[in-house]
Amino acid sequence: MTIEQVGIVGAGQMGNGIAHVFALAGYDVLLNDISQESLDKGIAVITKNLARQVSRDKISQEDMDAALGRVSTTLTLADLGQTDLVIEAATEREAVKNAIFEDLLPHLKPTTILTSNTSSISITRLASRTDRPEKFMGFHFMNPVPIMQLVELIRGIATDEPTYKALVEVVERLGKTSASAEDFPAFIVNRILMPMINEAVYTLYEGVGSVKSIDESMKLGANHPMGPLELADFIGLDTCLAIMNVLHDGLADTKYRPCPLLTKYVEAGWLGRKTKRGFYDYRGETPVPTR
């Protein structure tokens, strides 16, 4: 399976990061979203992040110019049909992902590999709604994509060996490392990371520590680069809650019960950095704990 053209659905935080690394690795990228504003914003972010890499001597100006030249955009989902690999990086909601695949299927080449960047939803279940479960995989990049080295590869029950091997080669060409995960709720990284974040929220909820003391304890006591509450704000509290719900529903174990305080913050619309308020308030010069 030769993969040269890559279609990406969603130009948001994950989608534009994925487009960035693919274009830099020499792939032709077609980026799709539902609004021109989202596409323009995505290209602006890619340009800014490539320029940062140039300023730090990670890549040359020629590399940046060539990468930008390989990225094109479209508002028409059907245009992605002629690509060799499609990566869906839309909102973490199963109904949205299923609707995208349904609209895309009639336009795909028989050989196109379909993938989802989902961080927690069943790959087997997503694949079963398509016409090519054997050519369907979970392709989970970490955020921020240009910096993080890991890509989780998740096989559904029907995924065939050539599809898996093709994606292992893609990850190698991107200069990243792949980790194979079985198709169980939240895979590897989020299966371990999200309960830790949820436990940090419980520690706050129960008054064991303040936002500041919890984050400082994990940074200085466990050598974590970011505290768990700071990290939750970076990821998005709505995303954290969605993944905890997938774990709780999928594994039916009370240890995965989302903390009521996490639910309350999401209900308030305090989702972290993207809304300027979460466990920290980001509206001023420096972040201020909200509890």
Side-chain angles (χ1 to χ4, degrees):
M1 292 183 185
T2 308
I3 295 170
E4 292 301 335
Q5 289 186 302
V6 180
I8 297 167
V9 184
Q13 194 173 37
M14 296 305 294
N16 69 58
I18 295 166
H20 172 141
V21 297
F22 269 90
L24 206 51
Y27 292 95
D28 291 322
V29 176
L30 184 55
L31 187 59
N32 162 263
D33 210 301
I34 53 174
S35 78
Q36 189 60 47
E37 184 187 359
S38 297
L39 289 173
D40 292 344
K41 193 174 169 187
I43 294 295
V45 172
I46 293 169
T47 306
K48 185 181 81 175
N49 288 340
L50 284 167
R52 185 183 293 131
Q53 287 180 300
V54 172
S55 71
R56 293 177 180 172
D57 292 326
K58 302 278 187 190
I59 61 171
S60 68
Q61 184 64 48
E62 290 74 22
D63 293 334
M64 174 177 169
D65 295 340
L68 286 172
R70 292 187 197 104
V71 182
S72 50
T73 62
T74 181
L75 291 167
T76 309
L77 188 62
D79 290 347
L80 272 57
Q82 294 310 300
T83 59
D84 307 312
L85 166 67
V86 172
I87 304 165
E88 170 275 313
T91 309
E92 188 68 353
R93 282 172 38 215
E94 193 165 344
V96 172
K97 295 179 187 297
N98 282 330
I100 288 165
F101 292 131
E102 193 177 330
D103 289 347
L104 194 53
L105 289 176
H107 310 285
L108 292 178
K109 296 189 297 185
T111 54
T112 300
I113 294 175
L114 265 184
T115 67
S116 176
N117 182 56
T118 178
S119 51
S120 61
I121 297 167
S122 166
I123 298 304
T124 299
R125 199 163 62 235
L126 288 173
S128 71
R129 300 285 295 271
T130 75
D131 63 353
R132 62 196 67 210
E134 70 288 345
K135 283 186 168 49
F136 193 105
M137 273 191 73
F139 205 19
H140 182 216
F141 288 81
M142 307 294 135
N143 184 32
V145 181
I147 294 168
M148 302 296 275
Q149 284 301 300
L150 187 78
V151 182
E152 281 183 316
L153 296 181
I154 307 101
R155 277 186 271 204
I157 199 167
T159 307
D160 64 23
E161 194 63 19
T163 299
Y164 170 72
K165 284 184 173 169
L167 289 192
V168 168
E169 285 176 19
V170 167
V171 175
E172 283 176 7
R173 185 168 155 187
L174 295 176
K176 295 189 182 293
T177 301
S178 59
S180 296
E182 292 301 314
D183 185 24
F184 290 100
F187 319 130
I188 296 171
V189 173
N190 283 319
R191 171 77 177 263
I192 296 165
L193 176 65
M194 285 303 160
M196 185 198 77
I197 287 174
N198 194 51
E199 197 60 33
V201 183
Y202 266 115
T203 308
L204 179 66
Y205 176 61
E206 292 167 7
V208 180
S210 65
V211 169
K212 187 170 182 283
S213 62
I214 291 165
D215 277 352
E216 281 192 348
S217 294
M218 293 308 290
K219 281 194 280 193
L220 303 178
N223 212 21
H224 289 192
M226 292 172 85
L229 301 174
E230 185 186 0
L231 180 58
D233 276 358
F234 179 75
I235 293 166
L237 304 193
D238 52 339
T239 302
C240 294
L241 179 60
I243 296 169
M244 285 310 301
N245 280 326
V246 166
L247 280 165
H248 193 233
D249 295 344
L251 298 169
D253 192 321
T254 54
K255 72 179 179 180
Y256 299 116
R257 184 171 70 99
C259 179
L261 184 61
L262 178 60
T263 305
K264 192 62 65 186
Y265 268 72
V266 173
E267 286 173 346
W270 290 19
L271 309 180
R273 284 179 177 270
K274 60 187 172 187
T275 58
K276 304 288 187 195
R277 273 195 291 191
F279 291 113
Y280 293 85
D281 189 325
Y282 299 93
R283 293 173 298 174
E285 294 260 327
T286 54
V288 179
T290 53
R291 283 179 94 81

